[in-house]
């Protein structure tokens, strides 16, 4: 799967920048906390990370992601068909449920008490008595 994903990005690059040599590509599935995809150019190498939630996605969706990322990287217009295809896939019910579950597992939101390192928020004069502590 990884080699076919690399091939998709290679083809997309050649289509969007036909006169430019294709830089070295490193494409990988990465475990983000959500459906994120990134592309960076570092030292002449394109580094692409596609959310691991999209690992089983159809080829046309992965091709759409490749087009969107490469086009944005080089400030080219994004084809509406590709953006619509990608958007429909990630907003489908099965993907929304999958993303919600992964966010719960991998997310970083931590709830803590109002007791801080230096002061307690509930008794702070900053709120001028407008803060009510419910017990």
């Amino acid at each position: 799967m990884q080699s076919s994903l690399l091939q998709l990005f290679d083809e997309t690059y050649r289509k969007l920048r036909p006169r430019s040599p294709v830089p070295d590509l490193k494409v990988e599935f990465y475990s983000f906390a959500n459906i994120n995809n990134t592309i960076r150019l570092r030292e002449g190498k394109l580094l692409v990370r596609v959310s691991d939630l999209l690992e089983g996605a159809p080829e046309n969706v992965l091709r759409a992601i490749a087009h969107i990322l490469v086009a944005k990287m080089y400030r080219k217009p994004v084809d509406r068909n590709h953006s619509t295809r990608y958007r429909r896939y990630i907003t489908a019910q099965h993907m929304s449920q999958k993303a919600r579950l992964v966010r719960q597992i991998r997310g970083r939101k931590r709830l803590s008490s109002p007791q801080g390192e230096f002061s307690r928020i509930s008794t702070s004069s900053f709120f001028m008595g407008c803060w009510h502590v419910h017990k």
Side-chain angles (χ1 to χ4, degrees):
M1 181 65 159
Q2 207 108 15
S3 63
S4 62
L5 189 60
L6 183 65
Q7 186 178 356
L8 281 176
F9 275 89
D10 186 83
E11 291 169 8
T12 302
Y13 187 92
R14 290 177 196 278
K15 204 174 284 185
L16 289 172
R17 302 195 69 195
R19 291 183 293 275
S20 299
V22 179
D24 289 337
L25 285 166
K26 180 183 177 191
V27 183
E28 64 182 354
F29 285 107
Y30 191 78
S31 58
F32 291 107
N34 203 352
I35 304 174
N36 293 339
N37 306 296
T38 63
I39 187 167
R40 291 188 171 92
L41 184 62
R42 297 282 186 256
E43 299 172 5
K45 189 173 187 175
L46 269 179
L47 307 171
V48 181
R49 287 182 170 177
V50 177
S51 173
D52 63 341
L53 294 173
L54 300 169
E55 202 160 353
E59 183 181 328
N60 62 350
V61 173
L62 295 174
R63 189 174 298 281
I65 292 167
H67 175 84
I68 292 166
L69 291 175
V70 173
K72 286 189 174 191
M73 179 73 201
Y74 293 102
R75 296 182 180 158
K76 302 280 185 182
V78 175
D79 183 357
R80 184 174 293 170
N81 293 330
H82 288 298
S83 59
T84 302
R85 182 177 300 125
Y86 173 66
R87 187 76 45 216
R88 280 188 184 152
Y89 185 78
I90 65 167
T91 58
Q93 187 176 6
H94 76 283
M95 284 304 294
S96 296
Q97 289 174 345
K98 199 173 176 183
R100 191 175 315 113
L101 179 64
V102 167
R103 265 194 311 274
Q104 288 173 351
I105 294 168
R106 297 179 189 166
R108 294 191 186 106
K109 185 173 183 179
R110 302 286 185 246
L111 299 175
S112 61
S113 72
Q115 178 63 46
E117 188 176 340
F118 300 104
S119 67
R120 184 172 175 84
I121 292 175
S122 61
T123 59
S124 174
S125 62
F126 178 79
F127 295 104
M128 295 175 246
C130 295
W131 186 276
H132 300 286
V133 179
H134 299 284
K135 293 183 180 185

